[in-house]
Every structure is written in C-alpha cells, then in structure tokens.
C-alpha cells in the first residue's frame, strides 16, 4: 500500500500533522485508537467517512517513518 494516496500534511490543517486526506483526523489519533484496543471495525463504525484503506494507510505511514529512524547511543561514562 502506498500511504501517500491517503495521508497528507498541510501546515493549515492541525499545524501540519499527517492526516487522512480530506479530514482533520490525524494518523497519530488513529494509531492511538488502535493502541487503546479499538479494532478497525470500531474505527470505521465511529468514523463512517473513513475506509479500511485509510486505517491501513496510517499503519503503513507509521511503519515507513519508523523504518527510516536511526538511534545512536552515546557511550556511558
């Protein structure tokens, strides 16, 4: 899945946080719902304007962002 078809960022919407296109629903919010035990079905029932692909796009976005993250540990003195 190419999340770029469903996730956008605009400085005028939620100060540029990534959101599901055409909404003010942030990727962060959707991930938080999933973290709190919501199923995809729960999300789609609560936000009927969303599609299953929107939820999967949030996960794909998060995966890609994390795959590019690098952590460097400084030696302990």
């Amino acid at each position: 899945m190419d999340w770029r078809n469903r996730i956008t960022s605009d400085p005028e919407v939620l100060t540029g946080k990534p959101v599901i296109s055409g909404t003010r629903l942030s990727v962060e919010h959707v991930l938080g719902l999933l973290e709190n035990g919501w199923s995809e079905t729960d999300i789609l029932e609560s936000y009927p304007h969303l599609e299953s692909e929107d939820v999967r796009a949030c996960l794909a976005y998060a995966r890609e962002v994390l795959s590019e993250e690098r952590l460097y540990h400084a030696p302990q003195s």
Side-chain angles (χ1 to χ4, degrees):
M1 148 157 303
D2 186 0
W3 57 263
R4 289 165 191 82
N5 297 327
R6 296 194 171 262
I7 305 295
T8 59
S9 179
D10 178 345
E12 299 295 320
V13 177
L14 292 180
T15 63
K17 285 188 174 204
V19 299
I20 296 171
S21 298
T23 75
R24 296 180 63 81
L25 198 59
S26 70
V27 170
E28 177 184 6
H29 180 72
V30 173
L31 295 175
L33 295 175
L34 293 167
E35 174 194 11
N36 285 307
W38 286 44
S39 68
E40 180 179 306
T41 301
D42 295 332
I43 294 170
L44 297 177
E45 286 176 357
S46 294
Y47 299 94
H49 58 284
L50 297 184
E51 298 177 1
S52 180
E53 291 81 7
D54 295 319
V55 176
R56 286 190 281 124
C58 290
L59 293 171
Y61 173 85
R63 183 199 54 79
E64 187 169 314
V65 168
L66 288 172
S67 73
E68 295 173 359
E69 185 176 88
R70 301 291 180 260
L71 297 175
Y72 300 96
H73 297 281
Q76 300 281 330
S77 46

